[in-house]
């Protein structure tokens, strides 16, 4: 692995099963489980051109490029500090030439990229402005709140980037499912797959994973629910495993997409 000097406010974190190292801000926005689940859900095909839209630390771009050596990935991010760290991560993982990190506003996608991609993956900010404290200068707030483009802007940006028949894979809050479906329909993306993510069996859905196809025909597959954690009744409190990941989530973190 190439050696790069980290800033005092940066950390280097490794996803062992997925084979990637990620540079992150020590106290700023740090990726969660959401983009990891989406990379497993999105099902890229060999030699496709992929965009990680609003890439943040570029964790999805890194995972996909590592798992599928024939993919070409463009990672788009607005925040300059995030772009710089994403580029460090690309170098650390030896993926220069495979991942191109660009500073771009999702609301102003360059015309040269219009209709040029097979797959867009997107983990956008979940919360509308006005929900919780949010500062333009706070990296975590900008990554979590719709400061620089709402849900509709991200869906519109994805539709512009995709070629006819291309796919958008997105993760979002389950409570905003109706709004998400409307946005997809308005921008010509037919919903083809849905999978809801629950903390554990018997709990309400927290997240939704969705695939939309540009110019696609009606007809959607509702996939089996994904449970993040094992049933607490099956875990021993003495072992400290009350929040142990489910078997499927453990398989995702172990890199099942690489062998699937």
């Amino acid at each position: 692995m190439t050696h790069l000097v980290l800033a005092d406010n940066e950390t280097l974190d490794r996803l062992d099963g997925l084979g990637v190292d990620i540079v992150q801000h020590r106290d700023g926005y740090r990726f969660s489980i959401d983009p990891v689940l989406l990379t497993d859900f999105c099902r890229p095909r060999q030699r496709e051109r992929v965009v990680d839209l609003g890439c943040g630390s570029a964790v999805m771009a890194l995972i996909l490029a590592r798992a599928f050596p024939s993919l070409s990935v463009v990672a788009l991010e607005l925040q300059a500090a995030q772009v710089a760290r994403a580029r460090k991560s690309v170098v650390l993982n030896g993926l220069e030439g495979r991942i191109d990190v660009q500073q771009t506003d999702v609301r102003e996608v360059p015309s040269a990229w219009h209709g040029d991609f097979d797959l867009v993956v997107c983990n956008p900010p979940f919360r509308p402005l006005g929900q919780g404290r949010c500062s333009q200068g706070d990296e975590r707030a900008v990554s979590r709140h719709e400061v620089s483009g709402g849900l509709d802007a991200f869906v519109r940006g994805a539709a512009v980037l995709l070629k006819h028949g291309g796919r958008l894979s997105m993760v979002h809050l389950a409570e905003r499912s109706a709004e998400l479906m409307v946005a997809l329909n308005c921008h010509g993306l037919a919903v083809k797959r849905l999978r809801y993510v629950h903390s554990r069996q018997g709990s309400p859905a927290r997240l939704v994973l969705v695939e939309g196809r540009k110019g696609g025909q009606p007809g959607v597959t509702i996939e089996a629910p994904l449970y993040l954690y094992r049933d607490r009744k099956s875990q021993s409190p003495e072992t400290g495993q009350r929040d142990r990941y489910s078997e499927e989530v453990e398989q995702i973190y172990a890199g099942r997409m690489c062998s699937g």
Side-chain angles (χ1 to χ4, degrees):
M1 183 178 71
T2 302
H3 177 73
L4 286 180
V5 177
L6 299 180
D8 290 340
N9 64 353
E10 293 177 340
T11 65
L12 180 60
D13 303 283
R14 181 164 180 82
L15 289 170
D16 286 318
L18 296 163
V20 296
D21 296 282
I22 302 134
V23 178
Q24 301 192 84
H25 193 295
R26 188 181 303 278
D27 301 311
Y29 175 76
R30 299 176 67 83
F31 76 88
S32 63
I33 193 174
D34 309 347
V36 178
L37 300 179
L38 186 60
T39 55
D40 182 76
F41 174 80
C42 70
R43 300 180 187 175
R45 301 161 188 163
Q46 297 297 333
R47 293 178 292 280
E48 286 193 317
R49 283 179 50 76
V50 180
V51 173
D52 182 353
L53 186 60
C55 71
S57 60
V59 59
M60 290 194 291
L62 293 163
I63 293 171
L64 291 173
R66 178 68 74 210
F68 298 91
S70 68
L71 293 184
S72 170
V73 186
V74 175
L76 305 181
E77 171 58 41
L78 177 60
Q79 298 184 79
Q82 293 268 46
V83 169
R85 287 193 291 272
R87 287 173 175 164
K88 280 188 179 181
S89 295
V90 170
V91 173
L92 282 166
N93 287 276
L95 292 170
E96 308 98 310
R98 296 278 318 286
I99 300 175
D100 179 18
V101 182
Q102 295 290 333
Q103 185 175 3
T104 300
D105 191 326
V106 66
R107 297 164 296 185
E108 300 175 358
V109 176
S111 59
W113 289 336
H114 289 193
D116 200 34
F117 293 91
D118 304 287
L119 174 65
V120 173
V121 294
C122 184
N123 177 26
F126 284 168
R127 298 292 180 186
L129 287 175
Q131 291 190 6
R133 297 177 63 184
C134 183
S135 167
Q136 285 278 358
D138 185 335
E139 181 179 290
R140 285 175 293 183
V142 173
S143 297
R144 293 170 179 167
H145 292 77
E146 294 175 338
V147 173
S148 302
L151 173 56
D152 187 78
F154 277 88
V155 174
R156 181 174 65 249
V160 166
L161 288 161
L162 288 170
K163 61 180 62 173
H164 185 80
R167 298 151 0 255
L168 165 65
S169 287
M170 180 180 282
V171 58
H172 218 290
L173 294 175
E175 66 193 58
R176 297 187 70 182
S177 292
E179 184 181 352
L180 175 56
M181 302 307 130
V182 169
L184 289 165
N185 182 66
C186 286
H187 295 291
L189 298 169
V191 179
K192 302 304 296 181
R193 288 195 298 137
L194 283 172
R195 190 175 194 191
Y196 282 94
V197 181
H198 305 248
S199 291
R200 49 182 49 86
Q201 293 189 35
S203 67
R206 289 174 49 188
L207 300 170
V208 61
L209 300 164
V210 60
E211 179 186 288
R213 185 173 303 154
K214 187 172 181 177
Q217 296 300 309
V220 57
T221 298
I222 310 296
E223 299 186 355
L226 173 58
Y227 301 108
L228 297 181
Y229 302 104
R230 298 177 189 237
D231 187 345
R232 284 176 171 167
K233 294 180 180 179
S234 68
Q235 300 180 44
S236 171
E238 290 78 15
T239 65
Q241 294 181 335
R242 288 185 60 83
D243 288 319
R244 184 181 175 188
Y245 279 140
S246 67
E247 182 177 351
E248 183 173 10
V249 172
E250 288 183 348
Q251 290 173 354
I252 292 171
Y253 271 103
R256 74 175 183 182
M257 75 180 73
C258 303
S259 57

